[in-house]
Tab-separated table of all heavy atoms in Angstrom:
chain	number	residue	atom	x	y	z
A	350	LYS	N	43.020	66.234	-47.262
A	350	LYS	CA	42.882	65.185	-46.277
A	350	LYS	C	43.411	63.845	-46.680
A	350	LYS	O	43.705	62.924	-45.946
A	350	LYS	CB	41.397	64.964	-45.945
A	350	LYS	CG	40.911	66.045	-45.137
A	350	LYS	CD	39.388	65.713	-44.850
A	350	LYS	CE	38.768	66.907	-44.119
A	350	LYS	NZ	37.279	66.878	-44.143
A	351	TYR	N	43.680	63.658	-48.074
A	351	TYR	CA	44.085	62.487	-48.547
A	351	TYR	C	45.541	62.264	-48.469
A	351	TYR	O	46.245	62.313	-49.534
A	351	TYR	CB	43.490	62.244	-49.959
A	351	TYR	CG	42.020	62.141	-50.166
A	351	TYR	CD1	41.403	62.261	-51.328
A	351	TYR	CD2	41.216	61.946	-48.971
A	351	TYR	CE1	40.090	62.083	-51.448
A	351	TYR	CE2	39.874	61.802	-49.122
A	351	TYR	CZ	39.249	61.922	-50.344
A	351	TYR	OH	37.938	61.830	-50.477
A	355	ARG	N	46.718	59.834	-42.765
A	355	ARG	CA	45.320	59.687	-42.457
A	355	ARG	C	44.763	58.505	-42.976
A	355	ARG	O	43.569	58.178	-42.873
A	355	ARG	CB	44.458	60.953	-43.007
A	355	ARG	CG	44.874	62.260	-42.179
A	355	ARG	CD	44.050	63.280	-42.657
A	355	ARG	NE	42.684	63.348	-41.958
A	355	ARG	CZ	42.107	64.446	-41.648
A	355	ARG	NH1	42.646	65.606	-41.845
A	355	ARG	NH2	40.921	64.367	-41.103
A	356	PHE	N	45.574	57.557	-43.495
A	356	PHE	CA	45.103	56.373	-44.132
A	356	PHE	C	45.369	55.241	-43.223
A	356	PHE	O	46.449	55.023	-42.654
A	356	PHE	CB	45.769	56.090	-45.468
A	356	PHE	CG	45.241	54.949	-46.303
A	356	PHE	CD1	44.218	55.189	-47.206
A	356	PHE	CD2	45.750	53.693	-46.238
A	356	PHE	CE1	43.579	54.230	-47.926
A	356	PHE	CE2	45.260	52.699	-46.932
A	356	PHE	CZ	44.199	52.914	-47.830
A	357	VAL	N	44.223	54.483	-42.887
A	357	VAL	CA	44.442	53.371	-41.923
A	357	VAL	C	44.698	52.125	-42.654
A	357	VAL	O	44.017	51.765	-43.584
A	357	VAL	CB	43.068	53.229	-41.175
A	357	VAL	CG1	43.198	51.957	-40.291
A	357	VAL	CG2	42.765	54.398	-40.258
A	358	VAL	N	45.828	51.431	-42.269
A	358	VAL	CA	46.226	50.256	-43.035
A	358	VAL	C	45.584	48.966	-42.278
A	358	VAL	O	45.690	48.986	-41.098
A	358	VAL	CB	47.794	50.103	-42.967
A	358	VAL	CG1	48.247	48.927	-43.736
A	358	VAL	CG2	48.393	51.414	-43.594
A	359	GLY	N	45.018	48.164	-43.123
A	359	GLY	CA	44.432	46.944	-42.616
A	359	GLY	C	44.765	45.857	-43.500
A	359	GLY	O	45.383	46.066	-44.584
A	361	ASN	N	42.981	44.513	-45.578
A	361	ASN	CA	42.301	44.644	-46.824
A	361	ASN	C	43.059	45.554	-47.856
A	361	ASN	O	42.830	45.429	-49.030
A	361	ASN	CB	40.960	45.239	-46.561
A	361	ASN	CG	41.020	46.701	-45.951
A	361	ASN	OD1	41.703	46.852	-45.004
A	361	ASN	ND2	40.325	47.794	-46.520
A	362	ASN	N	43.952	46.431	-47.325
A	362	ASN	CA	44.690	47.347	-48.162
A	362	ASN	C	46.136	47.417	-48.060
A	362	ASN	O	46.761	48.316	-48.606
A	362	ASN	CB	43.990	48.845	-48.077
A	362	ASN	CG	44.116	49.205	-46.620
A	362	ASN	OD1	45.077	48.874	-45.858
A	362	ASN	ND2	43.206	50.089	-46.029
A	387	GLY	N	39.700	48.410	-56.827
A	387	GLY	CA	38.859	47.956	-55.742
A	387	GLY	C	37.534	48.731	-55.895
A	387	GLY	O	37.397	49.706	-56.628
A	388	GLY	N	36.625	48.232	-55.070
A	388	GLY	CA	35.154	48.757	-55.146
A	388	GLY	C	35.096	50.243	-54.804
A	388	GLY	O	36.017	50.878	-54.281
A	389	VAL	N	33.851	50.885	-54.882
A	389	VAL	CA	33.612	52.241	-54.642
A	389	VAL	C	33.849	52.524	-53.163
A	389	VAL	O	33.396	51.784	-52.264
A	389	VAL	CB	32.201	52.583	-55.013
A	389	VAL	CG1	31.826	53.986	-54.656
A	389	VAL	CG2	31.951	52.285	-56.558
A	390	GLY	N	34.474	53.649	-52.981
A	390	GLY	CA	34.679	54.120	-51.528
A	390	GLY	C	35.608	53.347	-50.615
A	390	GLY	O	35.490	53.241	-49.448
A	391	LEU	N	36.610	52.711	-51.281
A	391	LEU	CA	37.507	51.821	-50.514
A	391	LEU	C	38.930	52.532	-50.363
A	391	LEU	O	39.779	51.922	-49.762
A	391	LEU	CB	37.588	50.369	-51.150
A	391	LEU	CG	36.276	49.575	-50.948
A	391	LEU	CD1	36.661	48.248	-51.554
A	391	LEU	CD2	35.867	49.521	-49.576
A	392	GLY	N	39.089	53.688	-50.920
A	392	GLY	CA	40.362	54.402	-50.679
A	392	GLY	C	41.324	54.565	-51.830
A	392	GLY	O	42.438	54.890	-51.564
A	393	LYS	N	40.872	54.236	-52.991
A	393	LYS	CA	41.763	54.368	-54.135
A	393	LYS	C	42.140	55.711	-54.383
A	393	LYS	O	43.415	56.035	-54.548
A	393	LYS	CB	41.006	53.774	-55.443
A	393	LYS	CG	40.577	52.406	-55.390
A	393	LYS	CD	39.914	51.980	-56.677
A	393	LYS	CE	38.601	52.765	-57.020
A	393	LYS	NZ	37.353	52.479	-56.102
A	394	THR	N	41.162	56.678	-54.378
A	394	THR	CA	41.505	58.098	-54.599
A	394	THR	C	42.339	58.657	-53.513
A	394	THR	O	43.364	59.334	-53.742
A	394	THR	CB	40.193	58.907	-54.775
A	394	THR	OG1	39.541	58.370	-55.841
A	394	THR	CG2	40.547	60.409	-55.068
A	395	HIS	N	42.028	58.221	-52.268
A	395	HIS	CA	42.818	58.590	-51.184
A	395	HIS	C	44.382	58.259	-51.322
A	395	HIS	O	45.255	59.168	-51.169
A	395	HIS	CB	42.244	57.990	-49.866
A	395	HIS	CG	42.844	58.527	-48.637
A	395	HIS	ND1	42.128	58.714	-47.498
A	395	HIS	CD2	44.096	58.713	-48.245
A	395	HIS	CE1	42.968	59.089	-46.498
A	395	HIS	NE2	44.182	59.200	-46.984
A	396	LEU	N	44.663	56.882	-51.616
A	396	LEU	CA	45.981	56.546	-51.817
A	396	LEU	C	46.678	57.242	-52.885
A	396	LEU	O	47.860	57.656	-52.823
A	396	LEU	CB	46.024	55.040	-52.027
A	396	LEU	CG	46.008	54.117	-50.792
A	396	LEU	CD1	46.129	52.610	-51.278
A	396	LEU	CD2	47.228	54.443	-49.877
A	450	ASP	N	42.638	58.832	-62.410
A	450	ASP	CA	41.595	58.193	-61.497
A	450	ASP	C	40.412	57.594	-62.395
A	450	ASP	O	40.072	58.129	-63.295
A	450	ASP	CB	41.013	59.306	-60.450
A	450	ASP	CG	40.579	58.551	-59.204
A	450	ASP	OD1	40.443	57.310	-59.187
A	450	ASP	OD2	40.423	59.236	-58.229
A	451	ASP	N	39.819	56.511	-61.845
A	451	ASP	CA	38.607	55.954	-62.489
A	451	ASP	C	38.776	55.670	-63.883
A	451	ASP	O	37.988	56.089	-64.773
A	451	ASP	CB	37.442	56.981	-62.267
A	451	ASP	CG	36.948	57.005	-60.723
A	451	ASP	OD1	37.071	55.935	-60.094
A	451	ASP	OD2	36.696	58.100	-60.314
A	482	ALA	N	43.881	54.308	-61.103
A	482	ALA	CA	42.861	53.563	-60.241
A	482	ALA	C	41.617	53.230	-61.084
A	482	ALA	O	41.309	53.959	-62.068
A	482	ALA	CB	42.484	54.666	-59.120
A	509	ILE	N	42.303	46.527	-53.530
A	509	ILE	CA	41.824	46.893	-52.188
A	509	ILE	C	40.495	46.195	-51.930
A	509	ILE	O	39.499	46.302	-52.782
A	509	ILE	CB	41.582	48.386	-51.972
A	509	ILE	CG1	42.905	49.155	-52.529
A	509	ILE	CG2	41.185	48.798	-50.611
A	509	ILE	CD1	42.786	50.583	-52.349
A	516	THR	N	39.395	47.236	-38.943
A	516	THR	CA	39.822	48.368	-39.709
A	516	THR	C	38.726	49.425	-39.738
A	516	THR	O	39.197	50.641	-39.605
A	516	THR	CB	40.170	47.903	-41.121
A	516	THR	OG1	41.051	46.739	-41.029
A	516	THR	CG2	40.805	48.998	-41.885
A	520	ILE	N	39.333	53.259	-38.507
A	520	ILE	CA	39.153	54.455	-39.369
A	520	ILE	C	38.182	55.495	-38.646
A	520	ILE	O	38.532	56.610	-38.641
A	520	ILE	CB	38.369	53.911	-40.618
A	520	ILE	CG1	39.389	53.253	-41.533
A	520	ILE	CG2	37.841	55.184	-41.517
A	520	ILE	CD1	38.862	52.589	-42.771
A	523	LYS	N	40.233	57.191	-35.909
A	523	LYS	CA	41.080	58.090	-36.496
A	523	LYS	C	40.383	59.403	-36.871
A	523	LYS	O	40.970	60.538	-36.587
A	523	LYS	CB	41.901	57.541	-37.590
A	523	LYS	CG	43.002	58.432	-38.249
A	523	LYS	CD	43.984	57.597	-38.888
A	523	LYS	CE	45.380	58.120	-38.628
A	523	LYS	NZ	46.441	57.137	-38.889
A	524	LYS	N	39.334	59.204	-37.530
A	524	LYS	CA	38.550	60.379	-38.028
A	524	LYS	C	38.138	61.164	-36.861
A	524	LYS	O	38.229	62.429	-36.948
A	524	LYS	CB	37.407	59.839	-38.861
A	524	LYS	CG	36.727	60.920	-39.609
A	524	LYS	CD	36.269	60.522	-41.000
A	524	LYS	CE	35.532	61.722	-41.648
A	524	LYS	NZ	36.388	62.776	-42.161
A	547	ASN	N	31.583	50.128	-47.673
A	547	ASN	CA	32.031	51.371	-48.362
A	547	ASN	C	32.432	52.412	-47.227
A	547	ASN	O	31.695	52.800	-46.385
A	547	ASN	CB	30.730	51.899	-49.142
A	547	ASN	CG	31.147	53.152	-49.795
A	547	ASN	OD1	31.866	53.850	-49.419
A	547	ASN	ND2	30.431	53.349	-50.989
A	548	ILE	N	33.742	52.733	-47.398
A	548	ILE	CA	34.163	53.694	-46.333
A	548	ILE	C	33.674	55.054	-46.453
A	548	ILE	O	33.558	55.752	-45.330
A	548	ILE	CB	35.824	53.720	-46.353
A	548	ILE	CG1	36.307	52.222	-46.063
A	548	ILE	CG2	36.391	54.595	-45.309
A	548	ILE	CD1	37.810	52.013	-46.214
A	549	ARG	N	33.308	55.414	-47.622
A	549	ARG	CA	32.653	56.780	-47.781
A	549	ARG	C	31.349	56.705	-46.971
A	549	ARG	O	31.077	57.737	-46.287
A	549	ARG	CB	32.465	57.103	-49.247
A	549	ARG	CG	32.076	58.517	-49.382
A	549	ARG	CD	31.967	58.906	-50.903
A	549	ARG	NE	33.353	58.824	-51.493
A	549	ARG	CZ	33.490	58.068	-52.582
A	549	ARG	NH1	32.588	57.372	-53.111
A	549	ARG	NH2	34.734	57.977	-53.087
A	552	GLU	N	32.045	56.930	-43.217
A	552	GLU	CA	32.297	58.266	-42.786
A	552	GLU	C	31.101	59.071	-42.768
A	552	GLU	O	30.932	59.898	-41.924
A	552	GLU	CB	33.363	58.900	-43.678
A	552	GLU	CG	34.750	58.287	-43.535
A	552	GLU	CD	35.749	59.090	-44.469
A	552	GLU	OE1	35.369	59.709	-45.489
A	552	GLU	OE2	36.875	58.907	-44.129
B	870	ADP	P1	37.524	55.340	-53.922
B	870	ADP	O1	38.328	56.296	-54.709
B	870	ADP	O2	38.018	54.040	-53.793
B	870	ADP	O3	35.999	55.282	-54.352
B	870	ADP	P2	38.022	57.131	-51.813
B	870	ADP	O4	39.575	57.180	-51.868
B	870	ADP	O5	37.360	58.381	-52.284
B	870	ADP	O6	37.442	55.856	-52.393
B	870	ADP	O7	37.635	56.958	-50.213
B	870	ADP	C1	36.408	57.237	-49.698
B	870	ADP	C2	36.519	57.838	-48.384
B	870	ADP	O8	36.940	56.921	-47.424
B	870	ADP	C3	37.547	59.005	-48.342
B	870	ADP	O9	36.980	60.020	-47.493
B	870	ADP	C4	38.765	58.363	-47.719
B	870	ADP	O10	39.510	59.314	-47.036
B	870	ADP	C5	38.234	57.328	-46.768
B	870	ADP	N1	39.061	56.171	-46.675
B	870	ADP	C6	39.167	55.084	-47.561
B	870	ADP	N2	40.103	54.243	-47.151
B	870	ADP	C7	40.535	54.685	-45.948
B	870	ADP	C8	41.492	54.261	-45.024
B	870	ADP	N3	42.069	53.044	-45.167
B	870	ADP	N4	41.772	54.932	-43.905
B	870	ADP	C9	41.081	56.085	-43.712
B	870	ADP	N5	40.119	56.660	-44.656
B	870	ADP	C10	39.899	55.909	-45.736
Side-chain angles (χ1 to χ4, degrees):
K350 286 183 185 161
Y351 292 170
R355 293 183 81 146
F356 191 85
V357 174
V358 184
N361 62 310
N362 58 29
V389 176
L391 293 184
K393 303 180 295 292
T394 300
H395 188 139
L396 273 182
D450 212 343
D451 292 320
I509 307 182
T516 310
I520 289 170
K523 182 155 223 161
K524 189 141 177 77
N547 179 329
I548 298 172
R549 192 173 297 122
E552 290 183 339

